[in-house]
Amino acid sequence: MHSGIYIHVPFCLKKCNYCDFVSYPYKDEQVKKYVDYLMKEIEMRAASAAWKDRRISTIYVGGGTPTCLPEDYLVKIIKKCFRCFYIESAAEITVEANPCTVDKKMFEKLLYSGVNRLSLGVQACSSRELSFLGRIHTFYQAIEAFTMAREAGLRNIGIDLIFGIPGQKLSAWRECLQKIVAMNPEHISAYNLQIEEGTPLYRSVQKGFVNPCNEEIELNMFWDCIRILKNNGYTHYEISNFAQAGKKCAHNLNYWFNGEYLGLGLAAHSYFNSVRIANKKTIIDYYEDLQNDCLPVMWYEKINPELEMAETIFMGLRLMKGLSLSDFYNRFGCRLEHTYKEVIKKLIKSDLLTISGDNLRLTEKGIPVANAVFIEFLP
Amino acid sequence: MERRQERMRNFCIIAHIDHGKSTLADRLLEHTGSLTEREMSEQVLDQMDLERERGITIKMQAVRLGYHAVDGQDYVLNLIDTPGHVDFAYEVSRSLAACEGVLLVVDAAQGIEAQTIANVYMALDHNLEIIPVINKIDLPAAEPERVKQEIENVIGLDCSDAIMTSAKIGTGVEEILEQIVNKIPPPLGDDDAPLKALIFDSHYDSYKGVIAYIRVVNGILKNGMRIKLMQTGKSFEVNELGVFLPAAAKIKELYAGEVGFVSASMKDVADTRVGDTITCVDNPTSNPLPGYRKATPMVYCGLYPVETVDYQDLRDALDKLQLNDASLVYEPEVSEALGFGFRCGYLGLLHMEIIQERLEREYNLILITTAPSVVYQVYTTDGNLVEVENPTNLPSPGNIEFIEEPFVKAAIMVPNEYVGPIMELCEDRRGQFKNMEYFGTNRVLITYELPLSEIIFDFFDQIKSRTRGYASLDYEVAGYLESKLVKMDILVNGEPMDALSCVVHRDKAYVHGKALVEKLKNLIPRQMFDIPLQATIGSKVIARETVKARRKDVLAKCYGGDVTRKRKLLEKQKEGKQRMKQVGKVEIPQEAFMAVLGVEK
């Protein structure tokens, strides 16, 4: 089976108003130190029995903003992975990038080091929306970054978008999609803005300064997104993800297939040998563990077969194609349609799930209320 | 008369809640050496946690005190505790029947309360000697002279010897004990006559069976004696006699005039009715004591376990509670919305709350309670009388000739300035003004006739909040009167929710129905479809709201590889869903029932 590596870069020039991922403000000193310790973690994990001889088919460097690091650091990280792990020749190697933190030279160096996919955080297409989100770039700069990546030779670029921004009109969202489609990226992720506790956005909503987007509008934005992107040659392959032929994100597909992966760096998550692991999420703790030659593990959780089935189902159902019943049988030795007979019967009756061929999948009615379907499969 | 009886006194304390009865009882115990200070955690007589927290006594106890009086003699004083709340007037009367005198405790700052008056009249009915005690004289707001005056004016009791005490700091305790000895007559009764003993309370012990608290009126009760309970006709052999000092102490015999407890392997609480007379099998008395009327439940409500698996536990818990509280009645009931539960009858609202709290606290049950209801007398068109204690069972409107509901005579004692708000409240609750009496310069006793159904729902709370806590209430049932009542149903998605059906006055139905569906609207989470909520009388819809369908429920974000976080979010959502009851197609959270039924915790 497929194995992936995720590497977290917990630094940003400025943290966005809606973001609740772990990230620190960029500081030269800090970044250097972090990369050193990251090297050490990579070595330790690569030497472990579980990862020593594995074939790695995807690497994903995410954040934070990986590209706020000087390009040499990024190259150093990629190279380290190649030296320590067994990376398949056709491996997908993605780096997340934000406009304003990139230039053509950086892209060239990354490409040269083996990076073959870029995930560009464009997020929105109007300056009002971008500044509302707390992004530091303009849409023009996003286009510039995209163009530089193309010029440098990147042939697989994904663009991240956010919809349901307070004050955003349906028409503005459609226009935004048209602008993005015109750029012709290979991949588009469109996420509905989530107002997470602990973020500045959450506080603004609590205080009544900001009115969250109306649910009905969000839903229409979602349907429009699917329609427009389909009309322009993109396959809607996961609830929030769209790709041109052959350009689905292999790294994320591995998550949705509930495959194994190794997370490296601050607050990164791993899943292998039926255990989920979360790394330390404050930088001091992370350093301290590694200094003491310990893996910086915050907690781990053993996943029993029952839980593994549930996770496989709710991750797999996120894919529009659904979840392969034969794959499920091969993996667990029992039939999904028998084990969850009553649940499936009920959900099919409510027109939320359907079985087509070998696949169990969400119906069009089920997609926007997927959580209500997923919870039925939890133990 | 026996010399022994001359040195014995049986008394109880009557007081309004918070006027310091339990503290005073503790001081008496302490002063007579029944307790060392170390043994005293505060308020020994209030045994249950709940009593201690609420500062009220629910279950009475009898304690024997030894007192060396100024006259040089040693006396035995039996203190019989009484509950201090309006719901328990009946239990007070039971305590009084076992005494020759009472201490009337009145708070020096608060003065006489409605409840005090009711209890004093009860004591006068029993021909008991009343010793006025003005308590809490240490308070800055104390006005003992005014209160003395008030007692004389209102009750007509001579207060020239009234004792000034502060149970808290212990002043006046000696004088109380002296007055008990000097003023309260010793018990009468003939040791040689056939045994006649009154059961004034009972208690169930899981090892010993029923323990009956008794007052021996005539004869001698001995260990090993064959006794007979005259009302039930059952016979038992006494295997333990004792008194509380306050710890239980075994003794061999209880003589005429004495108070104590008896255990006789009485396994069934129904065999030992409070108010029954115990006599000796070998030498029985021919005429039993008058006994008591059985307490009738006035307020009913449905009790349902939140978890259906707890049904049997709830039954067991109710069985156990009933062993110690014969006034609690219950029978199984099935609700479409709430599943299996029990319809329970209580003496009053406080009684209801106490039972519910004990079930939750002592038996770890989580319960849903339906709105309290009274017993309606429904006269049907075919000339029958049906008693209805559950609104769901009300006959259809076409078959009802008319409905009568219980009314109470409520006496509310308030300071002058709150007369307005109280009258407003009573009028709003369909009250009929009866009388208004002024006591002294500042206190007024207002009498209203009110439907019982109107006072079982937050009436006490309203009285308290409208008078900043200064008012007190006493009520007694006055009888049944005809009212224009209708049954209101609440329909969720077209299906009636039996647990929310209620009987309301016709003029109030619209407002009540509207409020109810509005409240429900905010409590029922949005689901996959629109849910209409309706309040109806018969087939007529009087109020309507809609819970809009939930259109979107999906996690967009990827969360990197943090699948656990995703799963946790889903688990939380599922948990919330599991706490809901499925009613037809609709899932309704427990909190919605609780909130609508007005039992928010």
Side-chain angles (χ1 to χ4, degrees):
Chain A
M1 210 177 178
H2 183 120
S3 291
I5 289 178
Y6 174 83
I7 296 169
H8 192 67
V9 177
F11 301 102
C12 284
L13 296 186
K14 176 189 174 297
K15 189 157 177 159
C16 301
N17 295 335
Y18 57 90
C19 174
D20 72 336
F21 286 110
V22 176
S23 104
Y24 289 85
Y26 179 88
K27 278 199 190 85
D28 283 332
E29 282 299 291
Q30 190 71 267
V31 166
K32 185 178 180 313
K33 191 172 174 189
Y34 180 75
V35 173
D36 286 343
Y37 278 105
L38 182 62
M39 295 295 126
K40 181 159 183 187
E41 193 194 0
I42 291 174
E43 282 166 22
M44 286 170 74
R45 278 294 186 195
S48 72
W51 291 91
K52 204 165 53 182
D53 300 317
R54 259 187 215 242
R55 296 162 72 99
I56 306 296
S57 41
T58 64
I59 298 177
Y60 194 104
V61 183
T65 307
T67 49
C68 77
L69 262 53
E71 61 244 24
D72 292 343
Y73 284 152
L74 287 174
V75 168
K76 190 173 167 186
I77 294 168
I78 304 290
K79 281 190 170 163
K80 183 77 176 178
C81 288
F82 273 99
R83 251 200 312 281
C84 296
F85 293 100
Y86 177 4
I87 314 289
E88 288 176 351
S89 56
E92 174 195 277
I93 301 172
T94 309
V95 171
E96 268 183 3
N98 279 334
C100 279
T101 58
V102 292
D103 55 30
K104 195 175 163 194
K105 195 175 100 225
M106 175 190 262
F107 289 137
E108 280 167 349
K109 283 194 175 177
L110 287 176
L111 202 61
Y112 186 72
S113 72
V115 173
N116 52 25
R117 188 173 180 274
L118 193 72
S119 171
L120 191 62
V122 176
Q123 315 304 4
C125 305
S126 85
S127 42
R128 193 203 69 82
E129 286 154 10
L130 285 167
S131 71
F132 180 90
L133 295 173
R135 307 289 298 187
I136 51 172
H137 66 265
T138 62
F139 183 59
Y140 180 74
Q141 285 168 320
I143 294 174
E144 266 186 342
F146 185 85
T147 313
M148 286 189 287
R150 280 280 190 252
E151 282 170 8
L154 276 155
R155 289 288 162 262
N156 190 358
I157 305 179
I159 284 183
D160 281 4
L161 292 176
I162 289 176
F163 65 89
I165 301 165
Q168 188 179 31
K169 289 204 170 64
L170 191 56
S171 56
W173 170 239
R174 286 188 199 130
E175 268 170 47
C176 176
L177 286 167
Q178 295 298 349
K179 285 181 194 168
I180 297 298
V181 165
M183 290 158 72
N184 196 29
E186 283 73 19
H187 189 279
I188 299 172
S189 301
Y191 298 117
N192 194 161
L193 179 66
Q194 271 169 17
I195 297 165
E196 302 282 356
E197 233 172 291
T199 60
L201 178 59
Y202 180 84
R203 289 189 286 276
S204 303
V205 170
Q206 289 300 95
K207 287 182 189 154
F209 299 154
V210 169
N211 279 327
C213 193
N214 169 295
E215 198 183 87
E216 216 51 39
I217 294 179
E218 283 183 337
L219 198 59
N220 286 327
M221 287 178 169
F222 182 55
W223 294 131
D224 275 353
C225 177
I226 294 170
R227 184 176 49 81
I228 292 170
L229 295 183
K230 270 187 182 166
N231 288 344
N232 284 279
Y234 291 88
T235 305
H236 181 209
Y237 74 100
E238 192 261 3
I239 292 176
S240 311
N241 285 281
F242 304 81
Q244 292 179 349
K247 301 293 184 181
K248 290 174 191 167
C249 175
H251 184 81
N252 285 343
L253 276 174
N254 184 42
Y255 291 149
W256 295 315
F257 289 139
N258 203 18
E260 297 189 316
Y261 50 91
L262 176 64
L264 298 160
L266 192 67
H269 289 256
S270 305
Y271 177 44
F272 55 88
N273 298 344
S274 298
V275 177
R276 291 200 182 278
I277 298 169
N279 271 3
K280 289 276 165 65
K281 60 181 195 179
T282 48
I283 206 153
I284 298 162
D285 295 344
Y286 179 77
Y287 293 159
E288 194 186 306
D289 281 358
L290 287 163
Q291 211 160 21
N292 298 326
D293 299 317
C294 291
L295 286 166
V297 172
M298 186 166 74
W299 54 258
Y300 63 89
E301 183 190 19
K302 178 98 184 122
I303 303 296
N304 62 37
E306 194 189 12
L307 212 50
E308 188 183 338
M309 278 191 227
E311 290 180 345
T312 304
I313 295 168
F314 77 71
M315 293 300 283
L317 284 176
R318 292 187 64 92
L319 294 168
M320 293 301 101
K321 197 179 157 196
L323 171 82
S324 157
L325 296 175
S326 53
D327 285 357
F328 188 93
Y329 178 74
N330 291 336
R331 178 167 181 171
F332 295 105
C334 63
R335 299 215 168 270
L336 171 59
E337 60 276 35
H338 292 167
T339 311
Y340 297 93
K341 193 174 170 194
E342 289 309 311
V343 169
I344 290 175
K345 205 167 108 188
K346 186 174 93 179
L347 293 169
I348 288 179
K349 203 178 153 210
S350 332
D351 190 27
L352 297 171
L353 277 185
T354 183
I355 293 179
S356 49
D358 181 44
N359 287 299
L360 176 72
R361 63 172 177 86
L362 292 170
T363 61
E364 195 174 304
K365 192 182 157 196
I367 293 167
V369 290
N371 286 352
V373 174
F374 298 164
I375 61 172
E376 298 290 336
F377 292 96
L378 291 178
Chain B
M1 188 192 292
E2 297 272 330
R3 272 182 61 76
R4 182 185 51 74
Q5 284 177 350
E6 267 176 51
R7 285 184 286 107
M8 177 179 297
R9 302 290 183 268
N10 296 323
F11 72 102
C12 62
I13 308 175
I14 56 182
H16 188 74
I17 299 174
D18 276 347
H19 281 199
K21 184 184 57 163
S22 296
T23 317
L24 181 62
D26 290 350
R27 285 297 159 264
L28 295 177
L29 261 67
E30 198 182 32
H31 197 85
T32 54
S34 304
L35 285 177
T36 64
E37 245 173 273
R38 205 173 52 80
E39 285 173 320
M40 303 222 11
S41 84
E42 264 178 68
Q43 305 193 353
V44 172
L45 284 185
D46 291 351
Q47 279 189 343
M48 285 182 271
D49 280 355
L50 201 64
E51 290 187 15
R52 211 164 284 187
E53 271 170 42
R54 292 183 166 227
I56 52 172
T57 313
I58 305 159
K59 215 57 198 169
M60 55 196 153
Q61 292 262 6
V63 182
R64 176 179 282 203
L65 316 171
Y67 176 58
H68 185 75
V70 177
D71 63 12
Q73 303 279 355
D74 286 316
Y75 288 86
V76 170
L77 312 180
N78 289 308
L79 164 56
I80 295 159
D81 206 10
T82 58
H85 191 276
V86 54
D87 287 350
F88 302 100
Y90 170 70
E91 293 202 2
V92 174
S93 87
R94 285 170 12 192
S95 301
L96 295 178
C99 300
E100 279 78 37
V102 299
L103 298 181
L104 167 65
V105 177
V106 181
D107 183 307
Q110 309 272 336
I112 291 184
E113 303 288 2
Q115 184 68 61
T116 330
I117 305 173
N119 284 343
V120 169
Y121 287 145
M122 220 186 293
L124 290 171
D125 284 348
H126 283 83
N127 283 320
L128 304 185
E129 181 65 34
I130 300 173
I131 300 173
V133 175
I134 317 270
N135 193 23
K136 303 197 187 180
I137 54 164
D138 58 308
L139 289 182
E143 292 180 274
E145 284 309 316
R146 181 185 67 77
V147 172
K148 241 164 103 169
Q149 221 34 94
E150 205 172 75
I151 299 175
E152 292 199 338
N153 292 344
V154 177
I155 309 176
L157 211 63
D158 177 15
C159 279
S160 51
D161 283 345
I163 307 162
M164 301 293 166
T165 64
S166 163
K168 199 172 135 208
I169 53 178
T171 51
V173 176
E174 178 82 27
E175 201 189 334
I176 292 175
L177 290 164
E178 278 302 312
Q179 284 205 16
I180 290 170
V181 167
N182 295 327
K183 286 194 169 170
I184 296 177
L188 300 171
D190 183 357
D191 285 347
D192 300 325
L195 176 66
K196 200 193 271 192
L198 172 74
I199 304 179
F200 64 84
D201 197 8
S202 68
H203 161 93
Y204 189 85
D205 181 286
S206 37
Y207 298 103
K208 296 173 181 167
V210 177
I211 296 183
Y213 295 77
I214 53 161
R215 156 79 190 261
V216 181
V217 176
N218 274 325
I220 305 170
L221 180 58
K222 295 177 183 171
N223 223 334
M225 187 184 254
R226 296 276 309 160
I227 54 166
K228 183 174 156 187
L229 300 171
M230 297 183 74
Q231 238 180 66
T232 58
K234 297 274 171 88
S235 300
F236 301 94
E237 186 181 310
V238 175
N239 49 27
E240 196 175 309
L241 284 178
V243 291
F244 290 101
L245 300 169
K250 291 184 191 178
I251 55 170
K252 291 199 175 103
E253 291 161 332
L254 273 173
Y255 293 91
E258 289 193 314
V259 173
F261 67 83
V262 55
S263 104
S265 306
M266 299 174 280
K267 290 297 169 211
D268 193 346
V269 102
D271 293 340
T272 45
R273 287 195 200 133
V274 169
D276 201 352
T277 304
I278 295 180
T279 192
C280 175
V281 172
D282 298 332
N283 180 19
T285 178
S286 49
N287 50 331
L289 295 159
Y292 305 115
R293 66 184 164 82
K294 198 169 164 10
T296 27
M298 297 307 298
V299 179
Y300 283 82
C301 77
L303 277 187
Y304 292 84
V306 166
E307 303 293 337
T308 38
V309 292
D310 286 343
Y311 177 76
Q312 193 53 43
D313 289 350
L314 175 58
R315 174 189 288 273
D316 294 346
L318 283 168
D319 283 346
K320 280 186 191 144
L321 284 180
Q322 199 187 37
L323 290 176
N324 285 324
D325 186 351
S327 52
L328 169 69
V329 300
Y330 57 92
E331 56 183 44
E333 177 180 83
V334 185
S335 152
E336 271 171 55
L338 303 175
F340 290 94
F342 294 92
R343 191 97 198 144
C344 301
Y346 312 94
L347 296 175
L349 204 62
L350 180 83
H351 189 211
M352 177 172 91
E353 271 179 48
I354 287 166
I355 295 290
Q356 283 160 17
E357 276 197 54
R358 289 192 61 186
L359 287 170
E360 298 201 338
R361 197 176 298 195
E362 293 169 32
Y363 297 92
N364 285 323
L365 294 163
I366 307 171
L367 301 171
I368 300 182
T369 318
T370 65
S373 162
V374 300
V375 182
Y376 295 98
Q377 295 192 336
V378 182
Y379 292 84
T380 56
T381 43
D382 53 11
N384 284 332
L385 166 62
V386 189
E387 293 214 332
V388 177
E389 67 213 27
N390 182 348
T392 320
N393 301 336
L394 209 68
S396 67
N399 296 332
I400 297 174
E401 190 70 44
F402 62 94
I403 304 175
E404 286 188 348
E405 63 175 331
F407 275 71
V408 298
K409 199 179 120 197
I412 304 160
M413 184 85 127
V414 280
N416 259 344
E417 61 264 41
Y418 299 116
V419 170
I422 288 298
M423 290 183 71
E424 201 182 332
L425 174 67
C426 290
E427 297 291 331
D428 185 47
R429 300 294 177 98
R430 299 192 281 131
Q432 279 286 327
F433 176 78
K434 288 291 165 196
N435 193 20
M436 180 142 73
E437 254 180 288
Y438 283 84
F439 294 127
T441 52
N442 188 33
R443 292 165 60 81
V444 185
L445 185 70
I446 310 169
T447 315
Y448 261 87
E449 203 165 74
L450 285 154
L452 177 61
S453 64
E454 294 282 350
I455 69 166
I456 58 177
F457 217 77
D458 87 336
F459 189 67
F460 296 117
D461 294 343
Q462 280 295 326
I463 284 187
K464 288 285 175 198
S465 74
R466 285 174 191 227
T467 62
R468 307 212 334 260
Y470 278 115
S472 63
L473 166 77
D474 184 59
Y475 68 81
E476 57 183 22
V477 176
Y480 274 79
L481 288 173
E482 185 182 342
S483 286
K484 286 178 176 135
L485 300 169
V486 289
K487 179 185 164 201
M488 185 173 76
D489 292 312
I490 301 295
L491 274 57
V492 174
N493 204 28
E495 298 198 29
M497 301 265 294
D498 52 3
L500 298 182
S501 291
C502 56
V503 174
V504 286
H505 193 264
R506 208 174 53 190
D507 299 344
K508 288 183 158 189
Y510 175 73
V511 175
H512 192 59
K514 193 164 177 294
L516 213 56
V517 292
E518 269 173 18
K519 205 166 175 188
L520 258 186
K521 186 193 171 189
N522 295 321
L523 292 163
I524 297 181
R526 297 166 60 191
Q527 300 181 21
M528 300 294 217
F529 44 87
D530 281 0
I531 306 166
L533 308 173
Q534 297 156 304
T536 62
I537 293 173
S539 57
K540 194 175 145 207
V541 177
I542 57 167
R544 188 197 155 102
E545 290 284 345
T546 306
V547 179
K548 285 284 198 193
R550 175 153 202 188
R551 303 292 307 278
K552 206 174 128 287
D553 176 19
V554 57
L555 281 179
K557 228 154 82 170
C558 208
Y559 293 121
D562 192 354
V563 176
T564 309
R565 177 165 174 189
K566 259 185 189 160
R567 198 187 72 225
K568 291 264 149 77
L569 284 169
L570 292 171
E571 278 168 355
K572 205 171 144 195
Q573 188 172 343
K574 183 173 180 177
E575 238 169 69
K577 197 175 145 87
Q578 278 170 338
R579 272 187 276 113
M580 297 197 217
K581 289 267 183 189
Q582 182 94 28
V583 181
K585 270 171 73 191
V586 184
E587 280 160 345
I588 302 176
Q590 303 294 2
E591 300 83 61
F593 284 107
M594 295 193 189
V596 169
L597 297 171
V599 282
E600 281 154 284
K601 297 255 156 93

